[in-house]
Amino acid sequence: MFHTITTSATSLSDGLSKLNAIRDYVHVFFGCRDCASHFAKMASHMHSEVLTLNQGRLSAAVWLWRAHNKVNARIKGSQTEDPSHLKQLWPYQSDCPKCQDGSRGQGPIMGYLQVGYAWLCLCFFSSSVFDLH
């Protein structure tokens, strides 16, 4: 859900607003208090980090992708890891081989995020989905 929200940003400032809403949601509603606290620490630097990404409207989505992978790396193999949903870098190597290759910059992940998540917003908010005629 959070990746879909950030990929729907129409501008850099819109992306930052969406990240602020995600940060506030996690703070109030996330069931794991340690997780919420850790995310709040990560998010305390998000504004400056998002601005330095220089990826326009997708900067927030790239920041969230990086944050998600930092969390996956931190809890991988810990007792809190759900054995049926092992934590690993995302997207998986098999889904996007170019995304794991840092030599290609942020281009592949930006494309993956747009194809993988932005289309969900278009489908969900499409007038045809809510056609009441």
Side-chain angles (χ1 to χ4, degrees), residues 23 26-27 34-46 49 63:
R23 178 201 59 213
V26 168
H27 174 73
D34 287 339
C35 301
S37 176
H38 185 263
F39 185 77
K41 288 178 188 171
M42 291 175 65
S44 68
H45 304 287
M46 78 179 170
E49 292 173 358
W63 183 89

Side-chain angles (χ1 to χ4, degrees), residues 1-86:
M1 173 177 72
F2 295 150
H3 294 292
T4 303
I5 290 169
T6 57
T7 57
S8 72
T10 58
S11 66
L12 179 62
S13 62
D14 184 40
L16 283 168
S17 295
K18 291 175 186 306
L19 278 178
N20 286 332
I22 291 168
R23 178 201 59 213
D24 295 345
Y25 176 89
V26 168
H27 174 73
V28 174
F29 296 109
F30 216 67
C32 170
R33 297 317 309 155
D34 287 339
C35 301
S37 176
H38 185 263
F39 185 77
K41 288 178 188 171
M42 291 175 65
S44 68
H45 304 287
M46 78 179 170
H47 286 268
S48 61
E49 292 173 358
V50 166
L51 293 175
T52 60
L53 285 170
N54 198 28
Q55 301 297 328
R57 69 172 194 85
L58 287 177
S59 292
V62 171
W63 183 89
L64 187 62
W65 163 69
R66 286 181 173 179
H68 194 170
N69 275 336
K70 286 178 186 176
V71 170
N72 283 349
R74 185 177 61 84
I75 65 172
K76 183 178 181 174
S78 72
Q79 292 178 347
T80 61
E81 185 174 15
D82 181 350
S84 62
H85 297 93
L86 297 176

